[in-house]
Amino acid sequence: MNKLSQWVLGLLALIGIGSAVGKAFIWGDSVVNYGSYVPWGLWVSLYIFLVAAAAGATWFGFLLGYKNNSVRWIKLGFGSAAISLIGALAFIALDLGKPIKGISIFFSPSFMSPLAWASWGYALFILTVAIIMYKGISNVRSLLVYLGLALSILFLGAETLFFGEMIARPLWNSWGSAFAFVTSAVVAGGALIYGVAALWAPDLLQQAGNGLRKLLMYAIVLHLVVEVGHLALEKNLPEAMAQMTDWRFWVLFAGLGGVVAIYLLTKPTTALLGALLSLVGILTYKVTFVTAAFTQPDLSGLPEAFQDSRLSLSYSPSMVEWLVAVGLLAAVVLAISWLIPKVLADQTKGSTKSNRSMNV
């Protein structure tokens, strides 16, 4: 990444963080377009997108690290996952309205709630990765690696249960959504890992050969089959039809993030663009998944009974929502671009020193 790109990302990050602070402590919900009937929008979609990417990046980092006996793959995957998870928590904290109160779940948790399990999973995963990054691990079979892998399964599983238990939202409360959460995590994590390796660890990407590209292509195909099949089987649900008739679902998710991404991934020269498009596709899927569930009123005739700008079943993000979204995503990319080269370089130096001592 050149200096100009870093400056642009830095500027976007500053604007986004400034907008987030303004929303949280000055303007409140007056600058967002979600309301009483559509309480979740772009930021919740980004939250579940980044959680999925974090889980998937952990799995791919573990798989590639184990296959190649490489601690550097572990650090790349787990480090990228932790930063993505921190970004996810920033989005959901903003959406809560009072971010500081979010920490109360750690002091008075209800472990009957999947959200409590997810929150503790997030915190323990980030702590585990921090130890791996700065204390180091001797090999890929370290207990910390297995702990991180288990925690990634825990927090994604808990998040899936959190949505799946919402009986009032039949689109979420279905078997297909649970499968789609897993397959979308595989795609998002694989694409994230490929992008990070291509930009900041090309030697690792060369080590992986064509295997990573092929795995990502297969994952995209699987997720397309699962998600389209799920909606087709649930076509009697108005919410499912709302998602299937959304142009973004077919153009951005199935088209650019699916068919076009797969084609680009067949060639090493265009694979990075394909991976980035698949990330756009998964984010679009998450947005349509969240917003489609609110297209039907909880009570028939309720939208007509009361008239107000915040009492609507239609939703499009406000300018502040977009500024925060772009800015925090830019901050995630900047953080990854700083952390990953640093920890991989430290790992290489450590390996060199170890080899020298063995030679002596």
Side-chain angles (χ1 to χ4, degrees):
M1 182 182 292
N2 57 38
K3 289 290 185 181
L4 178 60
S5 299
Q6 292 177 334
W7 277 103
V8 171
L9 288 172
L11 178 61
L12 290 173
L14 285 175
I15 294 172
I17 292 170
S19 301
V21 171
K23 188 272 176 188
F25 301 106
I26 302 173
W27 309 312
D29 287 344
S30 64
V31 293
V32 297
N33 282 350
Y34 50 81
S36 297
Y37 297 161
V38 185
W40 293 349
L42 179 61
W43 292 345
V44 170
S45 304
L46 280 161
Y47 157 67
I48 61 175
F49 164 72
L50 288 171
V51 168
T58 304
W59 303 342
F60 270 93
F62 175 81
L63 175 65
L64 292 166
Y66 196 88
K67 179 183 176 182
N68 297 287
N69 194 28
S70 171
V71 171
R72 297 179 74 222
W73 269 119
I74 298 290
K75 288 193 169 185
L76 186 148
F78 283 43
S80 301
I83 292 173
S84 297
L85 202 52
I86 292 170
L89 294 177
F91 278 116
I92 199 61
L94 276 174
D95 194 82
L96 290 173
K98 295 182 178 180
I100 304 302
K101 287 192 174 182
I103 63 174
S104 62
I105 198 169
F106 295 106
F107 298 107
S108 56
S110 171
F111 286 108
M112 296 299 291
S113 167
L115 193 58
W117 285 99
S119 300
W120 278 95
Y122 301 150
L124 292 174
F125 178 82
I126 292 170
L127 177 61
T128 300
V129 173
I131 296 172
I132 290 174
M133 294 296 113
Y134 295 103
K135 294 294 184 181
I137 52 176
S138 58
N139 58 71
V140 297
R141 294 171 178 81
S142 167
L143 180 61
L144 287 171
V145 174
Y146 290 111
L147 177 60
L149 180 65
L151 288 169
S152 70
I153 295 171
L154 170 65
F155 67 66
L156 184 71
E159 183 191 79
T160 303
L161 283 174
F162 174 71
F163 278 85
E165 286 185 345
M166 295 188 188
I167 300 173
R169 305 294 171 192
L171 179 62
W172 300 346
N173 181 240
S174 63
W175 66 268
S177 292
F179 281 108
F181 262 67
V182 176
T183 55
S184 65
V186 175
V187 175
L192 176 61
I193 284 291
Y194 191 94
V196 172
L199 291 171
W200 297 293
D203 61 313
L204 285 180
L205 193 60
Q206 186 176 10
Q207 181 188 77
N210 295 323
L212 182 54
R213 283 193 300 115
K214 290 181 179 179
L215 280 175
L216 183 52
M217 285 189 286
Y218 297 151
I220 294 171
V221 172
L222 178 61
H223 181 58
L224 284 171
V225 170
V226 167
E227 182 56 22
V228 174
H230 164 223
L231 294 179
L233 291 173
E234 301 284 357
K235 62 181 182 296
N236 293 329
L237 291 176
E239 295 90 345
M241 289 306 299
Q243 188 174 4
M244 286 194 75
T245 55
D246 190 326
W247 69 269
R248 297 170 300 179
F249 181 85
W250 295 107
V251 175
L252 299 180
F253 167 58
L256 288 178
V259 177
V260 175
I262 290 170
Y263 172 75
L264 293 173
L265 282 164
T266 60
K267 303 176 182 179
T269 54
T270 57
L272 176 58
L273 178 58
L276 295 177
L277 285 180
S278 68
L279 285 172
V280 172
I282 295 298
L283 175 56
T284 303
Y285 152 68
K286 296 294 185 182
V287 171
T288 59
F289 172 79
V290 169
T291 56
F294 299 108
T295 54
Q296 301 300 309
D298 293 330
L299 294 173
S300 180
L302 186 62
E304 291 77 25
F306 303 96
Q307 301 296 319
D308 187 84
S309 60
R310 304 189 71 78
L311 299 176
S312 173
L313 293 174
S314 62
Y315 164 78
S316 58
S318 68
M319 179 60 71
V320 169
E321 288 177 78
W322 280 116
L323 288 175
V324 171
V326 173
L328 292 188
L329 286 176
V332 167
V333 175
L334 271 179
I336 290 175
S337 72
W338 169 80
L339 177 67
I340 298 305
K342 184 178 186 303
V343 297
L344 294 186
D346 291 345
Q347 181 66 36
T348 302
K349 291 176 183 177
S351 299
T352 302
K353 289 179 180 178
S354 176
N355 291 336
R356 286 175 180 172
S357 64
M358 289 176 66
N359 291 334
V360 171

